[in-house]
Amino acid sequence: MTDLRRLRETERWLAWIRVGGVGFAIFQVAVAGYYPKGYERLAWITTGIFAVGTLVLLVLSRREWPRRTQVALGACALAFDFAIVSAYILIYNFQLGSPIRQVIFVPLVEAALRYGITGALGLTLASAPVIAVFEWLRQRRFPPHTYHVNYVTLQIGLEAMMALIVGWLFVRLRREGNIAETRAAEAERLRDQLGRRADVLEAANRCARALSSSLELEQAFDAFIREVRGLVPFDRVAIVLSEEGTAQVMAVAGAGAGRVLPPGSARPTRGTLLEELLRTNRAVYRRDMQHAEYPEEEEFLALGLRSRLATPLLQGARTVGMLSLVRREADAFSTEEIELTGLLGRLVASAVQNIRAYEAERRTVEELRRLSALRADFVSLVSHELRTPMAAVIGSARTLQQRWRELTATQRESFLDLIAGETGRLATLIGDVLDTSRIEAGTFSFRFGDVDLGDLVRDSVATAELSSDEVQVRAEVRDPLPSVRGDHERLRQVLMNLIDNAIKYSPAGDDVEVRAYAEDGRVRIDVIDRGPGIAREDQRLIFEKFGRVTTGNARPGTGLGLFIARSIAEAHGGTLEVSSALDQGSTFTLDLPVQS
Ligand code: ADP
């Protein structure tokens, strides 16, 4: 309750008590019986004034006065009551032994009610002359006409004690009242605050649900932005992720959404507000973009936007992007909104983390599935690759054993050739499998020395030429080639694998070319064929373990050759790449560093 309201209520209550007092006074004056001459008139005049004053005060107390007038009215009312009571006390001095003096306690309590202890003590002081005069009148009227000072002091002393006790009571009461009111107001404020918090939490919850509604970042962000509108109003909002030096706009809504930095667009992070966020990991509040500090702000100003709140998307202590809210008015964000946006930033960041983790997981699962399929292919392939030459070897050996005498020398020779060829294939296959497992175990060993790649190329081509009748292999070595530090045998293995593949995939009558040359401090060897080529999407696969292209012109093989070849090239600090397209032939390039 406000102080003014309390004053008004007190005044009205006292006005009604006064009305009761008038009735009581009329009764007392009327029944007093004996009056000395003139006293009855005085009593009735006083009562008349009392009645009129009471009426005036009753009317005045019902009006809504401003505070100052209300205070003055209270003071006047107390003065009036005191004057009336004093008049009655002095008039009724003629009644011997009357308790009329006690009437003074009424304005005393009133003063305590209005002004506490000070008021009550003040009234005690003011009543002292009245009590003194009353005692004087009394001693004049009644024998033995002695002035009893102690009567006066007793009365005043009683009044003072009463003032202290009642005044204290009222002071206490008022203090308690104030405390209760403050507490009630505080409780109300807290309740409102709690209500607001609950609303905010509910909305934040909806935002979180929106973010988890999809496992696609863009969809999740769009749903989130729809919910944010109800929580922190904006004229434009954007979610931007930082990806390798670029600011990737993931979702945008509001002013200029389709024109200025639309979803899917990317810009270098350098110089932008995002760069600042990435550096400080703290929100940036641009109260007014009037003096554009970041390049993108010019565009926002052109859209009529003035204030911008950018909060980092924090994953732990690392910023992965930002949530940016923009408004048309300058300095338009409150502290609460800034805090809330910080919370939203964290929600978005954890959604980004979850969705990315899920994507990584999904990729891993796909990769594992692919690898397991490759392995299954390999098992059936190896068993097939082993069984065919094995069957040929066993068949030839049996024939030779059973029909040795019937066979001519040439026939025996060709059976023995077949056995040698097939066991050679078996040995290569087993060698590849062994090499692969050594590469994986990290025990693949090299014997490094100086290697003359020119010689190596010429040598490998000559060997290949010998075993290939249908495809011509030519070597073109641009001498002088600097020598390379490497393992001669392993490099030969690489070259042979590339040349064998080129022959294997070339149609009969075609040429395979092997070029060796030095360039930019490196030696390059190109193995070029005009075979079926390799589709772009398969070019990664063929270098993987067991990686083979099984569609189209598939030839027997294990898919290990290129995996081993690339591993060897990398162990030499070099690379092995392919450049090819379907029906365009293939060029495999072995690139090795020249020793310094
Ligand atoms: P393999 O030849 O034993 O299958 P590689 O690792 O040597 O194993 O080759 C992997 C795959 O790469 C082959 O299965 C083939 O599909 C493809 N490939 C390799 N060389 C060529 C080439 N010169 N032309 C077309 N395809 C090739």
Side-chain angles (χ1 to χ4, degrees):
M1 202 195 308
T2 63
D3 199 27
L4 183 58
R5 245 182 78 198
R6 189 184 294 137
L7 283 177
R8 280 181 187 147
E9 279 186 5
T10 310
E11 208 55 65
R12 277 172 207 162
W13 175 237
L14 288 173
W16 281 112
I17 294 179
R18 209 172 281 114
V19 171
V22 171
F24 180 53
I26 292 171
F27 170 78
Q28 286 291 334
V29 172
V31 299
Y34 164 76
Y35 279 96
K37 193 169 173 299
Y39 274 71
E40 190 168 9
R41 237 180 79 211
L42 275 178
W44 282 119
I45 289 170
T46 306
T47 309
I49 295 170
F50 185 26
V52 172
T54 296
L55 203 66
V56 172
L57 285 173
L58 182 66
V59 173
L60 291 180
S61 73
R62 303 194 64 79
R63 302 267 293 272
E64 302 271 301
W65 298 105
R67 199 189 144 75
R68 285 177 114 209
T69 322
Q70 189 71 44
V71 169
L73 178 66
C76 291
L78 178 62
F80 172 74
D81 292 341
F82 175 66
I84 294 294
V85 164
S86 301
Y88 278 128
I89 291 173
L90 295 178
I91 290 168
Y92 282 92
N93 73 80
F94 63 86
Q95 286 180 332
L96 183 61
S98 151
I100 188 72
R101 271 180 296 189
Q102 313 312 325
V103 185
I104 198 72
F105 287 122
V106 177
L108 182 88
V109 173
E110 184 186 338
L113 172 62
R114 289 182 190 277
Y115 308 113
I117 296 176
T118 338
L121 283 177
L123 194 120
T124 307
L125 217 63
S127 71
V130 179
I131 303 299
V133 172
F134 174 83
E135 179 56 21
W136 180 74
L137 288 174
R138 196 196 57 80
Q139 64 82 30
R140 232 182 45 158
R141 186 174 295 275
F142 301 107
H145 305 295
T146 28
Y147 191 95
H148 288 286
V149 178
N150 62 328
Y151 283 11
V152 177
T153 49
L154 177 67
Q155 171 79 15
I156 294 172
L158 279 178
E159 278 181 44
M161 279 190 284
M162 192 86 150
L164 288 172
I165 293 169
V166 180
W168 167 243
L169 271 179
F170 282 121
V171 168
R172 270 287 300 269
L173 201 65
R174 189 160 307 165
R175 202 183 294 154
E176 295 293 325
N178 282 343
I179 291 173
E181 270 168 32
T182 324
R183 292 224 173 112
E186 176 80 351
E188 203 159 316
R189 203 175 53 77
L190 284 176
R191 206 190 53 213
D192 288 356
Q193 216 173 38
L194 264 179
R196 271 200 306 278
R197 292 235 154 198
D199 289 350
V200 165
L201 271 180
E202 171 60 28
N205 207 7
R206 277 204 305 276
C207 288
R209 274 205 302 273
L211 278 171
S212 58
S213 66
S214 167
L215 286 167
E216 292 292 329
L217 272 183
E218 285 86 351
Q219 280 176 18
F221 287 162
D222 286 343
F224 167 75
I225 282 178
R226 280 197 294 277
E227 291 297 339
V228 169
R229 206 179 279 278
L231 194 55
V232 190
F234 56 81
D235 291 309
R236 180 187 160 97
V237 67
I239 297 175
V240 182
L241 295 185
S242 155
E243 264 157 33
E244 290 159 4
T246 55
Q248 194 85 35
V249 182
M250 302 299 292
V252 181
R259 282 175 292 129
V260 175
L261 292 168
S265 64
R267 275 189 188 183
T269 315
R270 182 177 282 271
T272 63
L273 181 63
L274 178 59
E275 190 187 39
E276 164 117 22
L277 257 65
L278 289 172
R279 201 178 56 244
T280 59
N281 295 323
R282 300 180 67 154
V284 173
Y285 177 25
R286 299 276 299 126
R287 287 174 198 279
D288 194 347
M289 297 186 277
Q290 195 70 20
H291 306 291
E293 268 185 30
Y294 304 95
E296 67 271 20
E297 290 184 355
E298 303 272 4
E299 293 164 79
F300 290 153
L301 279 173
L303 290 171
L305 302 167
R306 289 286 293 276
S307 53
R308 181 185 189 198
L309 173 60
T311 203
L313 306 183
L314 281 172
Q315 281 176 3
R318 197 171 66 92
T319 300
V320 295
M322 70 172 176
L323 168 67
S324 154
L325 293 162
V326 196
R327 287 187 182 160
R328 289 189 195 286
E329 309 78 39
D331 204 0
F333 291 91
S334 68
T335 322
E336 272 174 13
E337 285 175 325
I338 295 174
E339 260 174 40
L340 192 56
T341 314
L343 169 74
L344 294 179
R346 287 213 170 256
L347 288 181
V348 174
S350 75
V352 171
Q353 197 169 24
N354 289 344
I355 293 175
R356 284 196 170 155
Y358 168 78
E359 272 171 9
E361 203 73 6
R362 198 180 55 189
R363 272 200 300 275
T364 312
V365 168
E366 266 168 21
E367 185 66 13
L368 286 175
R369 205 172 283 152
R370 204 179 60 82
L371 286 178
S372 121
L374 276 179
R375 203 174 286 265
D377 285 355
F378 171 74
V379 171
S380 66
L381 194 91
V382 166
S383 52
H384 176 258
E385 290 281 312
L386 281 173
R387 206 177 296 137
T388 321
M390 210 64 113
V393 170
I394 294 170
S396 306
R398 286 249 164 86
T399 315
L400 284 175
Q401 195 183 33
Q402 289 163 3
R403 300 172 49 205
W404 180 261
R405 285 173 206 290
E406 297 160 35
L407 295 173
T408 63
T410 341
Q411 281 172 323
R412 286 180 197 153
E413 198 76 26
S414 64
F415 273 116
L416 286 171
D417 273 355
L418 194 113
I419 290 173
E422 292 302 321
T423 40
R425 265 180 66 194
L426 277 175
T428 314
L429 174 69
I430 291 165
D432 279 359
V433 173
L434 267 177
D435 282 352
T436 306
S437 68
R438 283 192 193 124
I439 289 171
E440 298 222 298
T443 55
F444 198 62
S445 60
F446 293 92
R447 261 203 303 268
F448 281 86
D450 285 345
V451 182
D452 183 334
L453 282 178
D455 279 354
L456 185 64
V457 167
R458 277 186 282 264
D459 212 38
S460 309
V461 169
T463 316
E465 264 283 313
L466 275 180
S467 58
S468 158
D469 311 326
E470 292 165 342
V471 178
Q472 286 280 313
V473 190
R474 283 188 287 115
E476 187 192 319
V477 178
R478 247 179 263 164
D479 282 318
L481 278 187
S483 77
V484 164
R485 188 156 176 77
D487 182 323
H488 188 276
E489 275 319 300
R490 297 296 186 201
L491 290 176
R492 184 185 161 83
Q493 186 181 346
V494 175
L495 264 182
M496 285 313 295
N497 182 266
L498 297 180
I499 298 170
D500 283 349
N501 276 349
I503 295 172
K504 192 157 77 172
Y505 289 96
S506 289
D510 245 3
D511 281 356
V512 166
E513 220 180 306
V514 183
R515 286 189 200 146
Y517 53 96
E519 200 176 82
D520 303 335
R522 303 180 75 87
V523 178
R524 294 216 168 91
I525 300 171
D526 292 339
V527 179
I528 309 158
D529 68 64
R530 277 180 285 280
I534 303 154
R536 182 161 283 279
E537 62 270 21
D538 294 327
Q539 289 178 8
R540 198 170 75 97
L541 167 83
I542 59 171
F543 289 103
E544 286 179 15
K545 204 169 39 164
F546 317 133
R548 310 186 66 236
V549 183
T550 46
T551 48
N553 314 280
R555 301 278 197 283
T558 54
L560 291 177
L562 289 177
F563 170 73
I564 298 168
R566 183 176 261 184
S567 303
I568 294 173
E570 285 172 355
H572 282 76
T575 57
L576 176 61
E577 300 293 342
V578 66
S579 136
S580 176
L582 273 184
D583 302 325
Q584 308 272 312
S586 315
T587 300
F588 281 85
T589 305
L590 172 66
D591 184 311
L592 295 169
V594 171
Q595 67 186 95
S596 48

